[in-house]
């Protein structure tokens, strides 16, 4: 794997250093350069910010990778094992998926250093660094104006708790409102639930941190927030890929129960906010309640009202259509993809799934006009890779999951927002199913309110959007549409009995 891609993967999903409310630290900015092996970006610039609260305190640091062709970028990556001394600089960017170790020697009497980067413990890359001004460093870092900057008007506390079903330990951060929010303890509180894929507590992807932005805005409004690392990420144990939707719903319920036990929280005012897959998890967690009202609310951001296998096929269809692909190619792809996903969802044997994936990959290659024939060895490698990706315990569970069934069993006040430009959970096809399922929930459980809407001009992340394609996400400075943030947080505050603004 090329260095650029590997570095991008390693640095994509890591944790922002907590600790709001501390005294202003001493800050030193350094910039660095490494070779990537990527023709589009042969050299990669990075920025390291070293911080120390006081002379007797250890140095900490964060790493930023500016976005570039072939490089996904990263922002505010929390470093460990930091050494910032007169003659040496060392630090480690932690997993997932592997550790990257930076080791440099400082030149005496200068603000320069040179050394090596050990990528994943296997590949050595020569690097150099030099001290930079704040203006130089900040100009190289992706501008993400919604990311919170110290000092913060709320406090943060790192916590761990256990899902009693299976014993998985989950690590996260509480954001506890301050006096400026206008709220007083005990607070209403919410758990943030991430979208698909193993994510850290910030929901970090590229240079955006949507869960961090939601937590910041909610805490400023007077709502206490818990966000956690997914299984197998950061401080959480277990494996996301081995977790079923039942397991993740159990994690969500354990998080809600943990919140109810906190001294700053009103246990009668606890809710869930889920994004994408996290919306289905939130609905499942509510449905598992012993009685209506056990959770005060759930807010569902880009939820699905379809079976997972059908949603994945629809998403692929919509992407190809938006790209302007010819209808004949789209249909050829769909005729092979749907049956392959059905076989996986139904638990067919490896031989049957592999044969279906072989047909699907050939159809995909033809639909994309990849050029050149794929030989048997290449095709076999692609089939094995695709089989491994699609047959994890988690993926099988998600492909089987019927979003409408989960939504129809919700047992608390609920709102749902779909995104007009969403190519992951296409809004038009999901809206009717979501609305019908939520109305069913009202009738069955006599909950107070269920509402849903399609929000215009935003993508799956609820960013302002024009195309909905994933490469658009990191091009946007805005992480979450301010209008969407306000609408959801106003609703949450109202249901928490805090009134509107």
């Amino acid at each position: 794997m090329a260095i650029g891609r590997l570095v991008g993967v390693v640095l994509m999903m890591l944790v922002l250093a907590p600790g709001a409310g501390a005294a202003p630290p001493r800050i030193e900015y350094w910039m660095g350069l490494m070779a990537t092996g990527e023709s589009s970006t042969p050299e990669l610039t990075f920025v390291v910010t070293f911080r120390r609260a006081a002379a007797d305190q250890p140095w900490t640091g964060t790493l930023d990778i500016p976005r570039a062709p072939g490089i996904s970028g990263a922002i505010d990556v929390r470093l460990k094992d930091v050494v910032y001394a007169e003659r040496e600089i060392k630090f480690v960017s932690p997993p997932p998926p592997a550790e990257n170790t930076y080791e440099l020697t400082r030149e005496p009497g200068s603000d320069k250093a040179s050394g090596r980067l050990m990528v994943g413990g296997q590949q050595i890359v020569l690097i150099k660094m030099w001290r930079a001004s704040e203006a130089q460093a900040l100009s190289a870092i992706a501008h993400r104006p919604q990311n919170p900057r110290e000092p913060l008007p709320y406090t943060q506390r790192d916590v761990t708790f256990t899902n009693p079903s299976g014993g998985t330990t989950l690590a996260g951060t509480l954001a506890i409102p301050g006096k400026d929010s206008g709220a007083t303890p005990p607070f209403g509180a919410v758990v943030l639930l991430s979208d698909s894929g193993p994510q850290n507590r910030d929901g970090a992807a590229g240079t955006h941190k949507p869960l961090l932005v939601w937590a910041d805005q909610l805490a400023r409004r007077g709502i206490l927030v818990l966000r956690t690392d997914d299984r197998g990420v950061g401080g959480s144990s277990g494996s996301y890929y081995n977790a079923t939707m039942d397991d993740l719903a159990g994690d969500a319920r354990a998080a809600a129960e943990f919140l109810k036990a906190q001294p700053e929280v009103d246990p009668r005012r606890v809710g869930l906010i889920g994004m994408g897959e996290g919306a289905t998890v939130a609905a499942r967690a509510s449905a598992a309640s012993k009685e209506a009202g056990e959770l005060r609310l759930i807010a569902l951001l880009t939820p699905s009202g379809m079976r997972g296998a059908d949603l994945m096929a629809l998403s692929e269809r919509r992407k190809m259509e938006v790209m302007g692909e010819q209808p004949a190619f789209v249909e050829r792809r769909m005729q092979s993809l749907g049956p392959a996903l059905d076989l996986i969802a139904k638990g067919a044997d490896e031989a049957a799934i592999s044969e279906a994936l072989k047909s699907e990959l050939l159809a995909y290659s033809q639909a994309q006009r990849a050029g050149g024939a794929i030989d048997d060895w290449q095709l076999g490698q692609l089939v094995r890779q695709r089989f491994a990706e699609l047959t994890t315990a988690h993926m099988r569970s998600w492909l089987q999951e019927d979003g409408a069934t989960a939504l129809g069993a919700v047992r608390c006040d609920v709102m749902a927002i779909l995104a007009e430009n969403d190519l992951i959970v296409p809004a038009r096809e999901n809206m009717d199913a979501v609305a019908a399922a939520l109305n069913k929930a009202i009738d069955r459980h006599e909950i107070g309110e269920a509402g849903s809407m399609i929000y215009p001009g935003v993508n799956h992340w609820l960013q302002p959007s024009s195309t909905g394609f994933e490469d658009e996400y990191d091009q946007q400075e805005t992480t979450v549409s301010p209008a969407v943030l306000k609408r959801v947080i106003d609703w949450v505050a109202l249901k928490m009995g805090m009134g509107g603004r």
Side-chain angles (χ1 to χ4, degrees):
M1 180 183 288
I3 291 295
R5 289 192 296 272
L6 183 55
V7 170
V9 170
V10 169
L11 297 178
M12 185 175 285
M13 301 174 63
L14 299 167
V15 180
L16 175 70
R26 176 185 170 188
I27 301 177
E28 301 278 357
Y29 296 97
W30 285 68
M31 296 181 68
L33 196 66
M34 71 176 76
T36 68
E38 293 279 354
S39 59
S40 56
T41 308
E43 291 187 317
L44 175 65
T45 300
F46 59 94
V47 176
V48 182
T49 305
F50 296 101
R51 297 179 177 86
R52 185 164 67 174
D56 60 346
Q57 297 295 310
W59 285 94
T60 62
T62 54
L63 175 67
D64 290 86
I65 303 291
R67 187 177 183 275
I71 306 296
S72 61
I75 191 167
D76 284 340
V77 175
R78 179 182 174 181
L79 303 175
K80 69 175 189 176
D81 302 334
V82 175
V83 176
Y84 181 58
E86 183 177 353
R87 293 186 175 274
E88 66 176 344
I89 295 175
K90 294 182 181 180
F91 52 88
V92 174
S93 61
E99 289 192 342
N100 287 353
T101 303
Y102 297 71
E103 298 177 338
L104 302 99
T105 300
R106 295 180 66 169
E107 299 176 16
S110 76
D111 289 330
K112 299 179 180 179
S114 60
R116 69 177 191 173
L117 161 63
M118 182 68 75
V119 180
Q122 297 179 342
Q123 199 165 359
I124 296 176
V125 180
L126 297 180
I127 57 175
K128 58 183 179 181
M129 293 176 62
W130 60 94
R131 194 193 300 267
S133 68
E134 179 180 12
Q136 290 171 328
L138 294 181
S139 69
I141 297 173
H143 182 51
R144 297 293 175 254
Q146 290 177 302
N147 280 8
R149 297 291 180 186
E150 296 181 1
L152 301 174
Y154 52 86
T155 59
Q156 298 188 88
R157 183 168 77 235
D158 286 348
V159 296
T160 59
F161 58 94
T162 300
N163 179 349
S165 178
T168 300
T169 297
L170 299 167
T173 299
L174 294 176
I176 305 167
K179 293 180 180 179
D180 290 347
S181 70
T184 56
F187 302 107
V190 296
V191 181
L192 297 181
L193 303 174
S194 68
D195 204 343
S196 59
Q199 298 189 26
N200 72 5
R201 66 193 70 184
D202 296 333
T207 56
H208 284 287
K209 297 186 174 185
L211 295 189
L212 176 64
V213 171
W214 279 100
D216 174 72
Q217 293 296 307
L218 285 158
R220 290 174 187 269
R221 187 61 182 275
I223 300 163
L224 188 145
V225 185
L226 170 62
R227 65 191 198 278
T228 67
D229 299 327
D230 288 342
R231 292 184 178 213
V233 178
S236 295
S237 65
S239 166
Y240 171 86
Y241 297 108
N242 291 335
T244 65
M245 296 296 286
D246 280 339
D247 294 329
L248 298 185
D251 291 347
R253 287 195 56 76
E257 292 303 314
F258 174 79
L259 273 186
K260 291 178 182 181
Q262 301 309 297
E264 302 95 341
V265 172
D266 179 352
R268 300 165 300 175
R269 295 188 295 146
V270 170
L272 307 174
I273 300 178
M275 292 78 169
E277 180 183 277
T280 301
V281 171
R284 272 178 154 267
S286 169
S289 300
K290 296 177 182 177
E291 59 184 37
E294 188 174 333
L295 289 171
R296 174 60 68 93
L297 60 87
I298 58 174
L300 310 179
L301 310 181
T302 62
S304 169
M306 307 172 67
R307 187 178 65 127
D310 298 328
L311 178 64
M312 180 178 284
L314 174 63
S315 176
E316 290 300 312
R317 174 186 286 276
R318 188 63 65 246
K319 290 174 185 176
M320 294 182 74
E321 290 174 343
V322 172
M323 290 171 63
E325 188 56 87
Q326 294 179 5
F329 282 99
V330 175
E331 293 308 318
R332 186 180 305 172
R333 175 88 197 282
M334 293 303 101
Q335 288 170 8
S336 60
L337 178 60
L341 295 176
D342 275 336
L343 286 173
I344 297 169
K346 293 174 182 177
D349 61 38
E350 181 174 350
I353 294 172
S354 295
E355 187 61 30
L357 289 175
K358 179 179 177 180
S359 298
E360 196 276 322
L361 287 165
L362 286 172
Y364 177 74
S365 175
Q366 293 166 356
Q368 295 296 103
R369 300 184 183 88
I374 299 177
D375 63 34
D376 289 343
W377 182 86
Q378 291 173 318
L379 184 57
Q381 289 290 99
L382 290 172
V383 168
R384 284 188 286 273
Q385 178 181 343
R386 191 72 168 145
F387 181 89
E389 292 171 351
L390 292 175
T391 59
T392 64
H394 176 75
M395 182 57 74
R396 283 186 186 271
S397 176
W398 181 81
L399 291 172
Q400 296 165 359
E401 182 71 27
D402 183 2
T405 299
L407 294 172
V410 165
R411 302 173 69 92
C412 61
D413 284 356
V414 55
M415 79 175 305
I417 288 185
L418 290 92
E420 181 184 39
N421 296 340
D422 194 340
L423 298 179
I424 308 299
V425 183
R428 188 177 70 247
E429 292 84 352
N430 276 276
M431 184 71 256
D432 288 346
V434 169
L438 294 182
N439 288 331
K440 179 181 178 181
I442 288 180
D443 294 339
R444 174 178 295 179
H445 299 300
E446 298 182 352
I447 60 179
E449 179 183 53
S452 55
M453 66 167 292
I454 296 178
Y455 209 89
V458 294
N459 59 22
H460 184 68
W461 280 10
L462 300 173
Q463 287 177 304
S465 160
S466 57
T467 70
F469 284 110
E470 293 181 26
D471 63 359
E472 182 183 50
Y473 295 170
D474 233 36
Q475 296 171 5
Q476 299 278 355
E477 286 190 351
T478 302
T479 300
V480 185
S481 161
V484 174
L485 279 168
K486 184 177 188 308
R487 187 180 188 97
V488 174
I489 294 174
D490 279 352
W491 181 84
V492 171
L494 182 65
K495 294 302 171 183
M496 293 286 188
M498 301 168 60
R501 273 190 194 174

